[in-house]
Amino acid sequence: MRSFSNSRRLCSALLVGSSLGALSAPAVAQDAATQPAAEAAAPATSAPETAAPAAATAAPAPAMAGTIRTIAVVGNQRLEPETVISYMPLRVGEPYDRERLDAALRALYETELFADVVISGADTGNIVVQVRENPVINRIILEGNKRLKEDKINPEIKLAPRQIFTRSKVRADVARIIELYRRQGRFAAEVEPKIVQLDQNRVDLVFEINEGPKSKVRQINVLGNEEFSDSDLRSQMATKQSRLFRFFSSSDGYDPDRLAYDQQKLRQFYLTEGYADFRVVSAVAELTPDKRDFVITYVVEEGERYKFGDVNVESEIRDLKPEAVQRLVPFEKGDWYNAKKIEDTVTSINEAAGLYGYAFADVRPNFNRDKDARTMSVTFQIADAPRVYVERVDINGNTATRDKVVRREFRLAEGDPFNSVRVKRSRDRIQSLGFFQENLEIEQQPGSSPDRVILAVNAEERSTGELQVSAGFSSLERFLVNLSITQRNFMGKGQTLTAGVNYSSYSKSIELGFTEPYLFDRNIALGGSVYRRDYNSFNYIGNDRNETYEQITTGGQLRVGVPLTEYMSLQLRYGLNYDEVSLDEDLFFTNGVCDPLKAGRYLCDAIGNRLTSSVGYSLVYDTLNNRLRPSAGEQLSLSQDVAGLGGDVKYLRTRVSGAKYWGIGDSGFIFSTRAEGGYIHSFENDRSPGNDAVRLTDRFFLGEPQMRGFAIRGVGPRVQRFQVSLDGAGNIVRNTDDNNVVDDALGGRAYYVGHLELEIPLGSGGRELGLRPSVFVDAGAVFGLRDPITNEPFRVCVAPNGSAAPLPDGASCPAGTALGLNSFFDEDYLGDSPKPRVSVGFGVNWNSPFGPFRIDIAKALVKVDGDDTKLITFNVGTAF
């Protein structure tokens, strides 16, 4: 291969001999590969290819002139002689001189078709033009590009196969490739073009790319700051210094656009602190010698700090009284000047005007600066404006979703007075559909007259169908397989259609569901589902899980929802379930009957077949700005279900839940608090000792995943069973080895659980990976169960015929009998306490290529005897 340099010496020389003069330009040197590749990548330092060759004379020559007698072209392969001659300002019969010959030479080089040109015969008038044509490109090859694929680089390369090879175009392509890498933050990238000579004057063009590391910001310096430290100012910038803990962040990469943005951030910060004269004198980004990092230096001038002077409001809109608007101003005379508060005040006044139908209210803050007193007086002037009405609603970009699905979420209709609060509410409702892009906005456009406004929704649809075929492993259900189809916008009508099959080591289910959110185009939701769920309950013996009872539920549910107000809705439902609960007879039965000594009385009481017919309602208050991923608003819910309208089970189950979300400024942090609780009351009159009227399968359970830091069903009432034996002295001894302890969770009648969680934003790199980390605190408990009858072993005297009699304490067995035990199990009832269990931890959601993934690391800070804790939990291949 040969590399070619960024500079080329083109010259014309008039060689005069005793009998022959020649006008020539030497060809490009073959040893150009010795030129540095960096020079080839910097066309700014190289002479343009199209530059006219500099005239140079080897020796003083006499002036020459004459008439062209003939013109001959030699050395041409692809071009016809007439074509070559047409590029020159020389014609047979015309006069010529030194200047015209130099101009002809320059003209041929400017075509970029020739690698070398020599003009001879100038002393006789028989002009001979000897040319060496530039080769034709056979193919273009990229080598070394890993971070940028060929489909990103090829559009930047203007040369193409079967085009004429020229060094100027190659240098331009090199510059474009390097600029592409610079836009990716790789300022150390180098591109060295090489050619491979082929037959028939063809070449392969190879761009050898050394991508280099991504250029980071090594240091940010600020000069001229006196009131605030460098670290205070750096915290305001979007650009951050490169540090190891910013592994998932892209904020430490150099970006010229971000540099300009940071200057605006600095100005905004100082303006909020009262420095109205602040300015950035200069901002310089210097690339380190190794081209790996940047050092950014800001020179600032802080100026004096100002306070607010007089604050007044002048309004020409009759519905906006100055004294009423004055109450919207969050500052007063004597406060430190804050430009952000002025912007917020303008926004608040505009929103207030929007409430009265003035969509285009003109609010202008006028300033009066007193440099001597260092005060800034502000007068908010509200210009007169007409009351505005909605002319029409335009919906653009909805290729699959029908217009009516979007329009029915609008809280304004065509012809209604404009109302900014209703516009915001319409945006939130459309966003909550989940059919369109994040941060959807409703644009307000001027209508056909000053009192008309057009509301335009520029939607970008995203996929609403989900086909999930996955297999995985979770800490909760071990091996699992999930096959589900969900369409949240079926046929573009906003309907939801679901079908799913799930299989794991401890549960199996199949379910079909359908929901029509607007029945007969009225705001009435109707939905239903049918399902079959096989669930194998389990207990723990040490760290091993063992199946206890099996519950098979077959049933369905019908749901109806109607709005009561803009933010409140009522949901009604009816469910019919047939439950079959059974135990493994080989393990828990004796003589065909459930043996309480093997299974426990609580499990024996749970077995059987029952029909549950229930009706219920939910009263929901919802102001969330996005139901899928809220960042603001609240949600409250009260639900009750009554079973007993037929069937075998009678109870009242009540649940209350609430959630509130706060977006913390513009930082991207989202803080949320969620809480729920419930109680179930049985109407069945079962007062037998040790038996709770609420059956085991209807009770509340708590643990993973509701409470992180605890195992599945790891919180609340439970029975622990220990193996017992007699020691050499005849005393009852427990075997407390974890591998021999049976742990059965019994659930409870009442429960509560609360969460405090802070979602932490990541840079664009983390967001592209779908990572959403958070820290949290969980607290809760389940309790309220009637104490079950537990097994308590005692010593007996066993006669030869097998009969046993209790042995009083301190007594000895009579002759002919042996000391023994009535039972080889001892049981403890634990965990039935309303005392809150508390855990803290952090977790990460990841939308991985294998499906949603969630991992939590949590530590239980507060627990009671019997609770099962767990440090790490994760799920992959299933929804969470």
Side-chain angles (χ1 to χ4, degrees):
M1 292 187 181
R2 288 185 297 134
S3 65
F4 31 84
S5 71
N6 64 317
S7 62
R8 190 177 68 177
R9 299 181 299 274
L10 299 178
C11 64
S12 61
L14 183 63
L15 304 179
V16 181
S18 59
S19 61
L20 179 65
L23 190 66
S24 66
V28 177
Q30 293 300 307
D31 61 350
T34 62
Q35 297 293 335
E39 293 180 3
T45 63
S46 60
E49 178 67 24
T50 57
T57 56
M64 63 184 307
T67 301
I68 299 175
R69 302 173 62 184
T70 62
I71 299 177
V73 178
V74 297
N76 54 309
Q77 296 179 333
R78 298 184 305 274
L79 299 175
E80 297 294 333
E82 293 79 5
T83 303
V84 177
I85 294 173
S86 68
Y87 294 139
M88 300 185 299
L90 300 177
R91 297 293 182 269
V92 174
E94 293 183 353
Y96 70 93
D97 54 18
R98 182 191 303 274
E99 288 75 14
R100 295 196 67 181
L101 293 177
D102 283 344
L105 190 65
R106 285 194 299 270
L108 290 177
Y109 275 116
E110 287 174 353
T111 64
E112 297 188 340
L113 297 175
F114 308 103
D116 190 22
V117 180
V118 176
I119 299 179
S120 59
D123 54 342
T124 64
N126 296 317
I127 303 299
V128 178
V129 181
Q130 184 173 355
V131 299
R132 181 163 59 87
E133 296 179 354
N134 274 328
V136 175
I137 297 175
N138 178 55
R139 58 177 178 163
I140 297 176
I141 303 171
L142 299 175
E143 293 182 354
N145 57 307
K146 297 179 180 179
R147 299 294 181 180
L148 287 178
K149 301 303 180 184
E150 293 188 4
D151 59 344
K152 300 292 185 182
I153 300 178
N154 285 334
E156 300 296 326
I157 299 176
K158 302 308 178 184
L159 284 171
R162 295 186 295 278
Q163 288 186 359
I164 302 299
F165 168 88
T166 66
R167 286 172 173 80
S168 63
K169 290 182 179 180
V170 171
R171 285 198 294 271
D173 285 343
V174 167
R176 279 189 289 268
I177 295 173
I178 288 181
E179 179 60 27
L180 188 63
Y181 274 97
R182 287 182 174 179
R183 291 201 295 268
Q184 298 291 326
R186 299 183 182 276
F187 286 79
E190 297 178 349
V191 180
E192 183 177 2
K194 294 185 178 181
I195 59 173
V196 179
Q197 295 284 0
L198 304 175
D199 57 358
Q200 299 179 355
N201 200 21
R202 295 176 302 126
V203 295
D204 284 342
L205 176 58
V206 181
F207 291 100
E208 289 189 352
I209 301 172
N210 179 14
E211 296 180 317
K214 198 166 187 177
S215 300
K216 302 290 186 179
V217 176
R218 180 180 298 176
Q219 184 70 32
I220 300 176
N221 301 316
V222 184
L223 305 178
N225 53 312
E226 297 178 357
E227 299 297 330
F228 301 97
S229 66
D230 287 10
S231 59
D232 290 336
L233 299 181
R234 283 194 289 262
S235 67
Q236 303 298 319
M237 302 177 188
T239 303
K240 304 298 181 182
Q241 296 179 138
S242 179
R243 298 293 183 267
L244 289 176
F245 60 83
R246 293 196 174 100
F247 176 78
F248 289 113
S249 175
S250 61
S251 60
D252 59 352
Y254 174 72
D255 186 341
D257 295 333
R258 194 185 294 150
L259 185 68
Y261 175 71
D262 286 339
Q263 297 179 57
Q264 294 297 324
K265 293 283 287 183
L266 284 176
R267 177 167 173 76
Q268 291 174 7
F269 172 71
Y270 270 94
L271 288 178
T272 60
E273 296 295 333
Y275 295 88
D277 296 327
F278 171 83
R279 68 188 186 98
V280 178
V281 178
S282 65
V284 179
E286 297 176 299
L287 189 61
T288 57
D290 59 4
K291 295 184 179 181
R292 296 177 65 91
D293 296 313
F294 277 87
V295 176
I296 300 176
T297 303
Y298 294 95
V299 179
V300 302
E301 186 177 294
E302 293 180 330
E304 299 293 340
R305 193 178 188 188
Y306 285 75
K307 290 186 176 182
F308 280 112
D310 295 329
V311 182
N312 299 306
V313 176
E314 297 177 359
S315 175
E316 298 178 4
I317 298 178
R318 64 178 184 177
D319 292 323
L320 295 179
K321 304 298 181 183
E323 56 273 13
V325 177
Q326 188 80 41
R327 290 193 290 269
L328 299 176
V329 180
F331 53 87
E332 58 186 15
K333 184 177 180 178
D335 293 345
W336 289 112
Y337 173 76
N338 189 324
K340 180 65 167 57
K341 289 185 177 181
I342 294 177
E343 293 179 4
D344 294 342
T345 302
V346 172
T347 301
S348 299
I349 295 175
N350 274 313
E351 290 178 352
L355 287 173
Y356 291 97
Y358 300 96
F360 304 111
D362 185 10
V363 182
R364 297 182 182 179
N366 293 329
F367 301 95
N368 183 13
R369 181 182 313 196
D370 187 340
K371 292 187 177 182
D372 295 332
R374 292 199 293 274
T375 61
M376 186 79 70
S377 298
V378 184
T379 300
F380 294 96
Q381 291 186 333
I382 308 173
D384 191 18
R387 180 168 290 180
V388 177
Y389 297 85
V390 179
E391 180 173 333
R392 70 175 187 270
V393 176
D394 291 341
I395 302 172
N396 307 311
N398 55 318
T399 55
T401 305
R402 302 190 183 187
D403 271 16
K404 71 175 184 179
V405 174
V406 181
R407 291 182 183 276
R408 66 196 184 193
E409 302 300 330
F410 264 89
R411 304 297 95 180
L412 286 168
E414 294 170 352
D416 286 352
F418 176 84
N419 187 301
S420 58
V421 174
R422 292 190 176 186
V423 171
K424 182 178 181 298
R425 176 60 178 167
S426 301
R427 181 203 64 191
D428 292 345
R429 290 179 64 93
I430 297 172
Q431 188 83 74
S432 293
L433 293 174
F435 304 161
F436 308 109
Q437 79 276 17
E438 296 286 344
N439 302 320
L440 178 141
E441 294 293 337
I442 298 178
E443 185 179 352
Q444 301 168 24
Q445 301 173 350
S448 57
S449 61
D451 63 343
R452 294 289 183 268
V453 63
I454 298 172
L455 301 180
V457 178
N458 296 315
E460 297 177 11
E461 288 192 316
R462 59 184 182 185
S463 176
T464 57
E466 299 173 5
L467 172 61
Q468 184 177 7
V469 181
S470 60
F473 183 88
S474 80
S475 58
L476 192 154
E477 296 193 79
R478 302 297 191 257
F479 178 76
L480 56 91
V481 176
N482 176 43
L483 171 61
S484 63
I485 300 174
T486 302
Q487 176 53 260
R488 293 179 287 107
N489 190 15
F490 184 59
M491 298 179 64
K493 298 179 179 180
Q495 301 166 337
T496 301
L497 180 65
T498 61
V501 176
N502 292 277
Y503 176 88
S504 72
S505 301
Y506 291 94
S507 67
K508 308 172 188 64
S509 68
I510 181 171
E511 184 169 355
L512 298 173
F514 177 80
T515 300
E516 167 58 70
Y518 277 77
L519 185 64
F520 306 125
D521 291 330
R522 296 183 178 274
N523 199 356
I524 300 174
L526 177 66
S529 60
V530 293
Y531 46 80
R532 178 184 173 91
R533 300 166 183 156
D534 295 4
Y535 174 75
N536 294 326
S537 184
F538 51 85
N539 60 22
Y540 282 96
I541 300 180
N543 294 323
D544 297 328
R545 297 202 305 182
N546 298 275
E547 293 185 18
T548 53
Y549 68 86
E550 180 182 19
Q551 179 181 356
I552 300 176
T553 301
T554 305
Q557 189 179 73
L558 185 65
R559 303 177 298 272
V560 178
V562 294
L564 301 180
T565 66
E566 177 61 28
Y567 299 102
M568 185 173 291
S569 62
L570 176 66
Q571 301 171 6
L572 306 175
R573 57 186 169 272
Y574 173 77
L576 185 65
N577 294 326
Y578 183 70
D579 293 321
E580 303 172 71
V581 180
S582 60
L583 292 172
D584 189 333
E585 296 187 5
D586 294 335
L587 295 177
F588 301 107
F589 278 56
T590 300
N591 298 325
V593 179
C594 181
D595 189 344
L597 295 179
K598 295 181 178 180
R601 185 178 299 278
Y602 37 87
L603 287 183
C604 291
D605 292 337
I607 62 175
N609 299 337
R610 297 175 178 87
L611 180 66
T612 303
S613 175
S614 65
V615 61
Y617 74 91
S618 293
L619 193 62
V620 181
Y621 176 77
D622 188 348
T623 64
L624 297 180
N625 64 341
N626 190 327
R627 294 190 185 96
L628 300 179
R629 218 184 137 195
S631 60
E634 59 189 17
Q635 185 181 72
L636 301 173
S637 175
L638 169 64
S639 300
Q640 287 189 307
D641 291 276
V642 179
L645 304 178
D648 306 316
V649 182
K650 298 177 182 180
Y651 62 74
L652 171 64
R653 178 188 285 119
T654 303
R655 294 190 186 190
V656 178
S657 65
K660 189 170 180 61
Y661 297 82
W662 295 268
I664 304 177
D666 299 325
S667 61
F669 287 89
I670 299 175
F671 178 73
S672 63
T673 175
R674 293 170 285 125
E676 63 176 285
Y679 182 79
I680 182 170
H681 173 73
S682 176
F683 296 118
E684 300 178 25
N685 296 320
D686 187 350
R687 299 296 182 183
S688 58
N691 186 31
D692 197 279
V694 178
R695 62 175 179 160
L696 181 67
T697 54
D698 292 327
R699 298 171 193 165
F700 297 113
F701 290 87
L702 195 59
E704 179 196 345
Q706 302 99 323
M707 278 199 66
R708 293 155 288 193
F710 292 88
I712 175 71
R713 299 187 175 187
V715 176
R718 61 206 326 100
V719 169
Q720 289 185 345
R721 176 180 291 188
F722 303 86
Q723 295 181 4
V724 294
S725 60
L726 292 173
D727 62 9
N731 298 315
I732 300 177
V733 180
R734 277 186 175 185
N735 185 347
T736 58
D737 184 358
D738 288 342
N739 294 324
N740 294 295
V741 177
V742 178
D743 190 318
D744 283 320
L746 303 185
R749 286 184 173 223
Y751 84 102
Y752 66 88
V753 61
H755 313 273
L756 297 177
E757 191 156 1
L758 180 65
E759 185 174 313
I760 302 171
L762 295 178
S764 59
R767 289 195 300 271
E768 290 173 1
L769 291 174
L771 296 173
R772 291 187 289 118
S774 63
V775 294
F776 56 82
V777 177
D778 294 344
V782 58
F783 54 94
L785 197 65
R786 181 184 299 178
D787 290 358
I789 297 176
T790 56
N791 187 58
E792 184 176 351
F794 54 87
R795 297 182 304 169
V796 296
C797 295
V798 183
N801 60 4
S803 62
L807 178 64
D809 292 339
S812 300
C813 288
T817 62
L819 181 64
L821 290 173
N822 71 317
S823 172
F824 293 98
F825 297 100
D826 190 8
E827 296 177 333
D828 287 343
Y829 178 58
L830 304 170
D832 191 356
S833 170
K835 178 181 177 180
R837 283 68 153 179
V838 180
S839 64
V840 298
F842 64 92
V844 177
N845 278 324
W846 176 34
N847 293 328
S848 73
F850 312 102
F853 177 88
R854 171 82 190 189
I855 183 170
D856 291 297
I857 300 177
K859 173 67 174 178
L861 298 182
V862 180
K863 60 179 182 176
V864 301
D865 291 342
D867 289 345
D868 291 336
T869 61
K870 194 170 191 179
L871 180 64
I872 300 176
T873 59
F874 65 91
N875 282 279
V876 63
T878 183
F880 47 84

